[in-house]
Amino acid sequence: MTDKELILLIDADDDDQQFFQMAVSDLPVPIKFLSFKDCSSAIAYLSSQSDRLPGYIFIDPDFPRIDWEECLGHLKILQGFGNPRIAAYSSRIPLHWQAELEHQGINKLIEKTGTISTLARQIESLLKQDRAYL
């Protein structure tokens, strides 16, 4: 079952995780938030929580150990069970990545911004698109 009020972030940078959490906290309705430093940890957690999958997964495609294509492959398997929306969240999303990320099943591309309020608006916009957040 997908929990549309649960957002999961996969990002190796502690500061970026904190920044994202502050943006989620600024949303006008309560959202549950989990973060993981790498894809392996997130996949292990999600595999053990198949009854409560997040509605949204944000990943920084530039993380260590597992490359983003392999991570997306694992996340696509999870999509079959709960259909979470997957967004790329990175400080740089080169043009040559954009088409490939979309082809691999990324639903949204969000560049890391300098302000919490801008990021909160981008997250809120994605949630509103699904009407899961009104």
Side-chain angles (χ1 to χ4, degrees), residues 113-129:
T113 66
T115 68
I116 292 168
S117 61
T118 300
L119 178 56
R121 282 193 303 274
Q122 290 176 316
I123 295 168
E124 185 175 13
S125 173
L126 179 61
L127 299 176
K128 283 183 175 179
Q129 285 176 0

Side-chain angles (χ1 to χ4, degrees), residues 73-120:
H74 291 291
L75 293 174
K76 279 183 173 183
I77 292 169
L78 293 172
Q79 276 186 307
F81 297 104
N83 202 28
R85 297 279 308 243
I86 301 174
Y89 174 64
S90 184
S91 55
R92 61 179 180 82
I93 303 176
L95 288 176
H96 68 277
W97 279 18
Q98 291 179 15
E100 182 61 26
L101 288 168
E102 289 171 357
H103 176 73
Q104 292 290 331
I106 293 289
N107 302 108
K108 180 100 173 145
L109 305 171
I110 297 177
E111 286 201 48
K112 293 179 180 178
T113 66
T115 68
I116 292 168
S117 61
T118 300
L119 178 56

Side-chain angles (χ1 to χ4, degrees), residues 20-84:
F20 198 96
Q21 184 171 14
M22 288 187 277
V24 169
S25 296
D26 275 1
L27 297 173
V29 297
I31 297 290
K32 295 168 242 153
F33 175 74
L34 295 172
S35 61
F36 296 90
K37 287 191 155 300
D38 58 43
C39 192
S40 299
S41 303
I43 296 298
Y45 172 81
L46 293 170
S47 297
S48 70
Q49 299 292 320
S50 60
D51 61 328
R52 188 171 170 254
L53 294 173
Y56 301 88
I57 300 172
F58 292 80
I59 61 171
D60 183 344
D62 193 23
F63 45 72
R65 285 177 264 193
I66 294 179
D67 72 10
W68 60 268
E69 290 180 270
E70 186 177 344
C71 185
L72 284 176
H74 291 291
L75 293 174
K76 279 183 173 183
I77 292 169
L78 293 172
Q79 276 186 307
F81 297 104
N83 202 28

